[in-house]
Amino acid sequence: MIREAMLYEKLDNEKVQCKLCSHRCRISAGKRGICGVRENRDGILYTLNYNVVSSEALDPIEKKPLFHFYPGSTAYSLGTFGCNFKCRHCQNWTISQVEIDQMQAMEIDAETAVSRALRSGARSIAWTYNEPTIWFEYTYDCAKLAKAAGLATVYVTNGYITREALEVIAPYLDAFRVDFKAFTDSFYRKIASAKLEPVLDSTLFAKELGMHIEVINLIIPTLNDSPDEIREMSKWIYDNLGADTPVHFTRFHPYYKLQNLPPTPLDTLEMAYDIAIKEGLKYVYLGNVPNTDKESTFCPECQKLLIRRGIFAVEEYNVTDDMTCPQCGEPINIFNEKGIE
C-alpha cells in the first residue's frame, strides 16, 4: 500500500526533505530517498512499503538478540524491504538491498499483524530483519495497537532514526536493540555509507525516553577489531548508557560483499569481552559462538548463575520477581515486570 509519509518538509520546486532518518534526504520530484522506499510524487512524499511484508516469523526474543527483555519469551517478528544503510556485510541483503518494485511480497495491515501476534502467544512484536525506521508509518500504527493490546514492542535497528521520529514513536516503543557497527566514522562511511555520531545520539535519546537498550557489535577482522576501538566503545556505553546496559559482541561470518575476510577468531571475541568487563560493563555476551557460557547471565556482584541460555532458549531462570539476585539481592537490569512468563 502506498500512502503519504510522515515526518517530511515541503521545499521549493516540488522538492521535499525527509526527516525520518539522519540522512535527511532532500528528494526531487520523481526521485526516492537513500532507503529506496520513500518517493517524491509532485512535491508529496509517499511511503511505498506501508504494509508490505517480506518476512514474518515467531522468534525467540533471544534471537534478536535481546537477553534482558522478557527472557524466554517469543516475539512476533516482521520485516519489509529496503534499508537506509548499504552495509557490505549485510546478512539480509536479499531484502534490504533490493528494489521494492521487483519484489514479491504479502500485505498485512496493522490490525491483522497485532491479531496474529496475540494468537501466536508472543509477548512482544518486533520489527526486524531490515531497518524498521524506513517502515515508520506502519510500525507506528502497529505499535499503538500493540500497546493497547498489552504487547511489548521492539525495534531491531541500526540507530539512524532522528530525534523527531523517536519522539513520535516513544510512547509506544519499549525496546531499542541497536547495532553499533563500529566505533569509528571511517568504518561507517566505508562499510555502511553512513556516520557514527547519529547512531550514538539516537541511542542516548532512546535511553532518555525510557526505552530498554541493548547494544550489538559485530566484530569484523581487520575492520573494527582493534582493542583501542573496543575500549573506546565500552567506555562510551558505560559513561552514556550505564554499566548495566547489555552488550553483545558477535562473530562475523564472510557474506555478501565481504567474503574475502575470515570469520572472527574466538580469541578476538574473548579479548572484546575482557575489555568491556574491565571497563565496568556488567552484562557482556558473546554471540554466534557455540558452546560458551558467555551467553548466560551471571550476577555482577556475587557471580551466581541467573539465566542459563542454550541456542536461542532459556534453560534456567533464577531472577526473583522483583528483578534481583536471589543470593545477594543485587538489582538486575531485566525488563520483565513479573519474572519469566
Side-chain angles (χ1 to χ4, degrees), residues 7-35 38-40 45:
L7 295 162
Y8 78 97
E9 178 183 358
K10 294 183 178 182
L11 306 175
D12 294 337
N13 301 315
E14 292 193 334
K15 290 184 178 181
V16 299
Q17 182 166 34
C18 181
K19 297 184 176 182
L20 182 55
C21 94
S22 291
H23 287 302
R24 297 186 180 272
C25 295
R26 295 169 68 93
I27 308 170
S28 298
K31 302 296 182 180
R32 296 178 183 177
I34 288 172
C35 64
R38 300 172 81 75
E39 181 175 284
N40 179 348
L45 187 63

Side-chain angles (χ1 to χ4, degrees), residues 90-107:
C90 182
Q91 298 291 303
N92 290 330
W93 68 271
T94 55
I95 62 172
S96 71
Q97 305 300 319
V98 295
E99 294 288 336
I100 190 171
D101 316 77
Q102 302 170 356
M103 304 309 298
Q104 297 274 332
M106 53 187 159
E107 293 188 354

Side-chain angles (χ1 to χ4, degrees), residues 23-98:
H23 287 302
R24 297 186 180 272
C25 295
R26 295 169 68 93
I27 308 170
S28 298
K31 302 296 182 180
R32 296 178 183 177
I34 288 172
C35 64
V37 295
R38 300 172 81 75
E39 181 175 284
N40 179 348
R41 297 184 177 182
D42 302 318
I44 299 175
L45 187 63
Y46 288 90
T47 175
L48 307 180
N49 65 339
Y50 173 73
N51 63 344
V52 177
V53 175
S54 69
S55 313
E56 178 191 28
L58 185 65
D59 288 333
I61 195 68
E62 285 77 18
K63 192 175 181 179
K64 298 300 131 191
L66 277 163
F67 281 8
H68 288 233
F69 188 81
Y70 295 108
S73 68
T74 53
Y76 176 72
S77 302
L78 295 172
T80 186
F81 295 99
C83 190
N84 52 358
F85 278 18
K86 306 299 178 186
C87 296
R88 296 176 60 81
H89 55 290
C90 182
Q91 298 291 303
N92 290 330
W93 68 271
T94 55
I95 62 172
S96 71
Q97 305 300 319
V98 295

